Every structure is written in structure tokens, then in C-alpha cells.
Amino acid sequence: MTLRVNHDFTQRVVIRPNDYQWVPSPILGVERMMLDRIGDEVARATSIVKYAPNSQFSAHQHTGGEEFLVLEGVFADEHGSYPKGSYVRNPIGTAHTPQIGSEGATILVKLHQFDPADTQPVTLHTESQLWHPGLIDGLEVMPLHEFQTERVALVKWAPHTQFSAHTHWGGEEIFVVEGTFYDEHGSYPKGTWLRSPDQSQHCPFTKEDGALIYVKTGHL
């Protein structure tokens, strides 16, 4: 039977760090926290993947594309090194062999979720990129990728920032990179992953610590 984790995309899902359940991968030194998944070892998947220092993963091809954000440490392969904050998109048909150094690495990764026509490779070192003013005071935005209705960005929230209620046409996915994110449904500390379905609504805000979030919209 095909493995299914949070596979109903019409349902809202919240996973906080206290909910993490790390699962060993087939490769020694590599663990995964499955956020959503449809499939077994080759799957449509969203995961947090933790690489131990000096670990490596076998060579593999991205038959459905790969997108990742480096949360901690340095991810590396034969194409380069990607320190904390790096955002990478490897389109369908690309391949690599991850080789992790002494710092180890933790990444947020999405597999098998590319449109076949989305062929643009992306490598951004976000800690050296410029921020753009957001829609309201207290918000700064760093666009990462756009294709058709899909939008991916980092959004920096100053402390005590209130955004208006809005509807997620095509859904919304958030990962809290720093600080604490809030809405009328609850609070979401660093490391929380939220997935909200098409046409869901909320009214987000921050408190004294602000927040940095990875946001993907229009893809569900």
C-alpha cells in the first residue's frame, strides 16, 4: 500500500516542532520528518531532512523536480555548497549526489511537485539578497520563484505587525524559519509548518519577536 501522510490537500495541517517524529532514511546518517507524502521511497513529498556531519546520500535523479531551503548547516553536492538560507530548485531530469561536510545540514525539501514546463534552475543565497517593501509597513518580501499561479517567497515580519484578513486562492504553505507567527487560529513557533487549502482564510500577525517565514501560494 502506498504511504500517505497528510495527503488530503483540502485539509488544514499544522505541524509544530513538538510534533516532529524523525524517521531514518535508507541512508545512514540521514533522517526525515515527513510533513506530507504520497508514495514510498519515490514520492510526492514535503519533508524536513537532517543530515549528520560528513554524511552523504546516493546519486539520484529528480524525476519530478526538487526544491529546498537550507535551514541549518551547509548542504553540498558536486555542483556547489549551499549554506544556511540557500534556496535551490533542481528541475525535472536533473541529478546530484549530496555530500555533507563537518557542519551537517537540515533542509526543508519538496519533491515531485514541479510543473513539467517549469524548467528554470534556481540558486539563491538569501542571506545576501535584497529585501523589497511588503504590502504594509512592517513587512519585507524576498521573491524566490514564480511560475504560473505559484509564488514562492521569504517574508520578514517586524515585531507587532498586523496583516489584513485574506483568502488563499490556490492554497498557502508556510514554514516558520525564525521567530513566532500568529493568526486567529493559534501560534506557530520557529520550525512550524502550516498548509492551508484553496480558499481558506486567516488574519496573521506577529508579537514581540517578529517572524521570518517561507511562503508558497497558488500551488494547491
Side-chain angles (χ1 to χ4, degrees), residues 148-163:
Q148 296 179 356
T149 62
E150 180 181 337
R151 301 287 185 272
V152 188
L154 291 178
V155 182
K156 188 188 297 183
W157 292 65
H160 304 292
T161 299
Q162 174 74 60
F163 199 75

Side-chain angles (χ1 to χ4, degrees), residues 69-75 83-85 103-107 178 190:
L69 177 69
V70 182
L71 303 174
E72 298 291 346
V74 180
F75 184 86
K84 179 180 177 179
E103 295 182 63
T106 302
I107 65 174
E178 299 288 349
K190 175 181 177 178

Side-chain angles (χ1 to χ4, degrees), residues 113-125:
Q113 298 175 43
F114 277 43
D115 187 300
D118 186 359
T119 59
Q120 177 188 355
V122 176
T123 301
L124 291 174
H125 298 290

